[in-house]
Amino acid sequence: MTEDNPELEGLEARLETESKALHVNLNELKSGGYIKQRQKDKFTIRLRCPGGAMSVERMRKIAEVAEKYAEGRVHLSVRQSIEILDVDIAHFDAVAEELREAGQDIASCGPRVRVPTACGGCEYNPNGLMDTQAHALMVDEKFFGTECPHKFKITFAGCQIDCPRARGADLGFVGQVEPELVPAECTACEICVKRCEDDALVMVDGLPVRDIEKCTLCGDCVKACPFDAMIQGQAGYAIWVGGKGGKKMRLSDHILDMAQEEDVEGLIQKTLDWYIANGDKRERIGRTIDRVGMDDFKEEVLS
Amino acid sequence: MSEANAEKIDDVLDLRGVMCPINFVKTKLHLETMEDGSVLEVHLDDGEPIVNVPRSVKDEGHKILAIESEDDGSWYKLIVRKT
Ligand code: SF4
Ligand code: SF4
Ligand code: SF4
């Protein structure tokens, strides 16, 4: 996967000259998703596809542009965005312009908030508990491109199966639900007890009782109950912070359960504020937390 | 449970030894051949079958009347009314 492009900086002087001639917006070039390829003068242009969903109309436009200005090949980035391969520098402007007309923007690279990723969530996935797609769009609109000490990736997973690996992102949201028992509907069939992988349910006097210390709010019991007895209560997000891949991976830390939809934006804002205030240049937030301290982070962000 | 005991069982389908999701598919297809309001008894193994099939059948719109444990929970009777 092409992620960073330090070579781009070396090209700056040349691009400055060429960009003037070509009317390329150099700022856009530096912040945007233009990734230098090994082939001379060829770039990969990464598009902004939050949550990895789009209309086929837009897809057709992307296909058209890829055929017209490049070799007609695209690559799907690991973070759900379409990348047009083999674009010559000379076509940067035309590509960006034509795509923008169709409502398709270019992504960002470098030290800033990247395009958020998300699974189908409750919009169309039977396991989904939260509207991950809507939240990815919100993040894209409000935070995309925000300058940070280093790259900052936000991911939404509809449930704890965590297909999009929110627990490996700088900031990850994982859908949760509080199961609620309606005793009158319970037939004591014990299916919920069998289903619970965390041994959080035990039958007491003919009813399943939940150990809230053990319960991870996964919702499996709700999905398994064949009567209307174990039902979905309040849903929310578990928040995970500080994950990263790269040469030295770091697992995310779990900092909060059941964050509500209306708190998502504020949590992201506070996390970014803390990161920008405390992070060293080219330091991912997980490392900043290791250096400055989780207590400090939590005090700022969660209080 | 008493509700089911009072029901007349119209048909029995023994799906012990049949894996997920084939057991569900067989149940669904069998229910399609039955009259609305009639009652099917399905025999299911412990483990995944009993955890998965009842809810899937409910999600098809049928009414689960009862789930009865047999031989100390080594297999189960699922009683469904076609709806
Ligand atoms: S994380 Fe959960 S909701 Fe999202 S795609 Fe995976 S199983 Fe479905
Ligand atoms: S929500 Fe998940 S962990 Fe909690 S009781 Fe239900 S199945 Fe077990
Ligand atoms: S699966 Fe539903 S009906 Fe069966 S014991 Fe659990 S809550 Fe009661």
Side-chain angles (χ1 to χ4, degrees), chain A residues 181 185-192 203 208 225-227 229-230:
Chain A
L181 182 69
E185 298 288 334
C186 181
T187 65
C189 71
E190 300 191 24
I191 286 179
C192 55
M203 296 302 284
C225 176
F227 299 94
M230 196 64 89

Side-chain angles (χ1 to χ4, degrees), chain B residues 24-34:
Chain B
F24 163 65
V25 174
K26 289 198 168 181
T27 306
K28 176 184 151 82
L29 293 177
H30 198 95
L31 281 162
E32 277 171 17
T33 67
M34 295 172 70

Side-chain angles (χ1 to χ4, degrees), chain A residues 194-195 222-223 225-226 228, chain B residues 46 50-51 55 58 64 76:
Chain A
K194 287 177 191 287
R195 184 66 186 90
V222 174
K223 285 178 227 155
C225 176
D228 295 310
Chain B
D46 189 24
I50 189 59
V51 170
R55 179 56 184 255
K58 176 182 193 272
I64 309 296
Y76 290 81

Side-chain angles (χ1 to χ4, degrees), chain A residues 261-277:
Chain A
E261 187 165 35
E262 59 271 21
D263 299 331
V264 170
E265 189 183 332
L267 272 159
I268 296 173
Q269 187 63 60
K270 282 186 180 174
T271 302
L272 285 172
D273 289 346
W274 183 88
Y275 180 37
I276 291 165

